[in-house]
């Protein structure tokens, strides 16, 4: 279990054969606890401030998870065990702090832990002598500065500083390209060479800077890791349904709601993982740069975490009307997920048109992704109605029974899946050849 032993191991698997390691799967256990704590922020009747705090805490937790996930993705079998375990321990502290942050406590502990983990993650890249081209946040520390300042700030200003730090990270993700990183590396090498000439030799630190290389993620392995995260988030929804059902009488309403919730989760699983890539519905592996896939994954899984809280609340309010805030959490989170699905479908269709290839979701060529002959009308028919229906229910569904609200969402996601009912042309041809 020593770092030295891990460093001596050589990568033994190719990109096509590689899967999540036992260390990575163990690391993801902390996501189970973290998602449960984050969903708890939206329990009861959440206010707008609760929604804002949830978004802030979720993005912070997800960012730290991603920092260590991309490190494990690139390092492979040479990932340092203690680096990953330290990240896991820190994320456990973040998860344990969530409830306290919601109540105005443990704020300093959350901020300090976040800062420490960001420096631990960036230090892992310095030790490897690499810069990650696909997600600059992994080693870009400017976004950590507002978090450091927030340690000595009280009141609402602390939350605004956290938001500013995350906004800087978002800017870095969207604006710092691999070409920018390459130019930065070349400028550093030039500066080191000039300094070495003036000093008459290279120091050990300068020698390390001279050999920094640009690294890229393994897309197939990354897609698996993102998909596992999505499954954990869906598991929280299942846990919400089970928790409410285990402590209540099993009347017809409860059974109907539980069944509707199960169908909703099955449909989302199918859209996200069977017809998607990395938990992003309707997307294929090669359709977008990894950094944009990560952003869509963050939005989609954040929405699904909020949906889990909404499903649990709908079970709790099954005998009375849904509070407006609960109905909005349920419908708005579903609408955000459908919006991500729409983005994935549009991107996949454009990629298919430009590349002349068929197929939609990951590996099955669904119609949402778009074969060369598919029109934009098909996308609108299958994806716009679910989006509009969820927004309409959220806006005007006050008189509706919780059972009706959930079943309408089931109908919406089912309609979105209808575009995958017809087998792709390749499968139809293969089936005809066999007969």
């Amino acid at each position: 279990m020593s770092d030295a032993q891990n460093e001596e191991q050589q990568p033994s698997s190719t990109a096509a054969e590689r899967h999540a390691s036992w260390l990575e799967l163990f690391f993801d256990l902390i996501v189970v606890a973290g998602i449960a704590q984050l969903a708890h922020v939206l329990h009861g009747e959440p206010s707008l401030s609760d929604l804002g705090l949830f978004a802030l805490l979720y993005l912070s937790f997800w960012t730290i998870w991603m920092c260590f996930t991309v490190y494990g993705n690139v390092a492979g079998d040479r990932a340092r065990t203690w680096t990953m375990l330290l990240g896991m321990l820190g994320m456990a502290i973040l998860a344990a702090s969530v409830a306290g942050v919601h109540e105005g406590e443990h704020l300093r502990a959350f901020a300090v832990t976040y800062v420490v983990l960001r420096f631990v993650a960036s230090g892992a890249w310095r030790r490897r002598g690499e810069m990650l081209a696909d997600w600059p946040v992994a080693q870009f520390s400017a976004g950590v500065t507002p978090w450091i300042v927030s340690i000595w700030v009280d009141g609402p200003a602390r939350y605004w500083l956290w938001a500013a730090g995350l906004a800087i990270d978002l800017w870095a993700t969207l604006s710092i390209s691999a070409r920018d990183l390459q130019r930065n590396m070349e400028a550093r090498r030039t500066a080191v060479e000039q300094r070495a000439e003036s000093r008459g030799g290279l120091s050990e630190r300068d020698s390390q800077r001279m050999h920094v290389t640009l690294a890229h993620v393994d897309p197939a392995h990354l897609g698996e890791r993102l998909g596992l995260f999505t499954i954990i988030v869906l598991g929280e929804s299942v846990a919400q349904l089970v928790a409410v059902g285990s402590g209540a009488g099993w009347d017809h309403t409860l059974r109907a709601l539980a069944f509707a919730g199960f169908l909703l989760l099955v449909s989302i699983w199918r859209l996200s993982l069977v017809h998607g890539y990395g938990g992003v519905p309707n997307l294929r592996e090669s359709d977008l740069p990894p950094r944009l896939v990560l952003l869509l994954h963050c939005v989609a899984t954040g929405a699904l975490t909020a949906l889990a809280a909404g499903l649990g609340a709908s079970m709790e309010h099954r005998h009375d009307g849904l509070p407006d805030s609960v109905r909005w959490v349920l419908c708005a989170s579903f609408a955000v997920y459908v919006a991500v699905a729409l983005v994935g479908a549009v991107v996949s269709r454009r990629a298919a048109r430009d590349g002349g290839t068929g197929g939609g979701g990951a590996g099955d060529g669904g119609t949402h992704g778009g074969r060369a002959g598919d029109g934009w009308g098909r996308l609108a028919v299958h994806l716009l109605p679910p989006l509009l229906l969820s927004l309409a229910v959220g806006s005007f569904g006050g008189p509706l029974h919780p059972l009706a609200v959930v079943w309408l969402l089931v109908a919406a996601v089912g309609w979105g899946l209808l575009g995958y009912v017809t087998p792709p042309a390749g499968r139809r041809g293969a089936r005809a050849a066999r007969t």
Side-chain angles (χ1 to χ4, degrees):
M1 179 135 125
S2 68
D3 289 345
Q5 290 174 338
N6 272 303
E7 288 288 356
E8 290 173 0
Q9 293 177 358
Q10 297 296 322
S12 58
S13 57
T14 64
E17 299 172 343
R18 186 180 168 199
H19 295 287
S21 67
W22 290 117
L23 176 61
E24 289 173 313
L25 293 174
F26 183 61
F27 177 80
D28 282 348
L29 285 177
I30 193 56
V31 178
V32 178
I35 294 299
Q37 292 296 312
L38 290 164
H40 186 76
V41 174
L42 299 178
H43 280 191
E45 297 184 20
S47 62
L48 286 177
S49 61
D50 292 328
L51 288 172
L53 181 60
F54 165 79
L56 195 61
L57 295 177
Y58 179 84
L59 186 53
S60 305
F61 187 85
W62 181 91
T63 298
I64 293 297
W65 178 81
M66 188 53 61
C67 284
F68 288 91
T69 294
V70 292
Y71 165 69
N73 175 273
V74 174
D77 293 336
R78 300 187 67 181
R80 297 170 71 97
T81 300
W82 285 110
T83 297
M84 298 294 290
L85 293 182
L86 185 58
M88 187 178 182
L89 176 61
M91 290 185 68
I93 297 174
L94 291 180
S97 303
V98 166
V101 170
H102 191 211
E103 302 299 328
E105 303 174 358
H106 307 318
L107 296 167
R108 184 168 284 108
F110 190 92
V112 169
T113 305
Y114 180 90
V115 170
V116 169
L117 290 178
R118 285 293 298 270
F119 282 120
V120 169
S122 62
W125 293 103
R126 285 196 300 272
R127 286 191 299 272
R128 288 183 58 81
E130 292 178 331
M131 296 186 70
L132 184 61
D134 298 313
W135 202 55
V137 174
Q139 61 265 319
F140 184 72
S141 59
V144 184
T145 304
W147 284 83
I148 297 175
V149 175
S150 75
I151 296 172
W152 293 278
V153 174
D154 295 320
R158 174 176 278 151
Y159 300 123
W160 287 108
L161 285 169
W162 293 0
L166 294 170
I168 292 173
D169 287 336
L170 177 61
W171 169 83
T173 300
L174 296 176
S175 63
I176 301 178
S177 65
R179 183 176 299 175
D180 294 329
L181 292 174
Q182 185 67 43
R183 284 197 295 262
N184 179 268
M185 289 168 49
E186 292 172 356
R188 286 187 180 185
R189 290 193 187 102
T190 301
V192 168
E193 290 173 353
Q194 293 173 349
R195 188 161 55 245
E197 290 178 1
S198 63
R199 293 179 178 177
L202 281 174
S203 66
E204 183 178 350
R205 185 175 181 181
D206 285 342
S207 179
Q208 291 175 350
R209 290 181 176 177
M210 285 287 292
H211 297 90
V212 173
T213 58
L214 208 58
H216 294 273
V217 298
D218 176 350
H221 177 263
L222 182 63
E224 180 183 16
R225 301 283 281 116
L226 297 178
L228 289 171
F229 188 102
T230 303
I231 288 177
I232 291 172
V233 173
L234 292 176
E236 173 58 23
S237 295
V238 175
Q240 294 276 346
L241 297 177
V242 172
V244 176
S246 63
W250 291 7
D251 53 23
H252 293 298
T253 302
L254 179 68
R255 288 194 290 266
L257 262 174
F259 184 60
F262 178 73
L263 287 181
L264 182 64
L265 297 177
V266 169
S267 301
I268 290 174
W269 159 76
R270 190 164 184 83
L271 272 176
S272 297
L273 298 169
V274 178
H275 302 300
Y277 164 70
V280 179
N282 300 323
L283 192 69
R284 296 175 304 173
E285 179 181 309
S286 58
D287 289 339
L288 279 177
R291 64 180 69 195
L292 298 183
V293 174
L294 297 183
L295 288 179
L296 290 177
H297 176 268
C298 179
V299 175
T301 52
L304 293 180
T305 303
L307 183 70
L311 282 176
S314 68
M315 295 274 285
E316 294 172 351
H317 292 277
R318 64 190 177 279
H319 293 308
D320 49 9
L322 276 180
D324 290 341
S325 59
V326 174
R327 188 183 71 255
W328 260 113
V329 166
L330 188 61
C331 295
S333 59
F334 180 81
V336 170
Y337 173 78
V338 175
V340 173
L342 182 59
V343 171
V346 170
V347 168
S348 290
R349 191 194 182 281
R350 285 188 171 180
R353 182 192 60 189
D354 295 341
T357 59
D364 75 334
T367 58
H368 287 338
R371 293 183 293 273
D374 286 341
W376 292 104
R378 183 182 289 271
L379 296 180
V381 166
H382 286 290
L383 291 174
L384 285 182
L387 179 61
L388 297 176
L389 177 61
S390 59
L391 292 176
V393 173
S395 301
F396 310 109
L400 293 176
H401 189 276
L403 185 60
V405 172
V406 177
W407 274 104
L408 283 171
L409 296 184
V410 172
V413 72
W415 181 262
L417 278 171
L418 284 179
Y420 291 104
V421 170
T422 303
R427 289 187 181 178
R428 287 198 300 267
R431 187 178 303 149
R434 287 195 299 267
T435 56

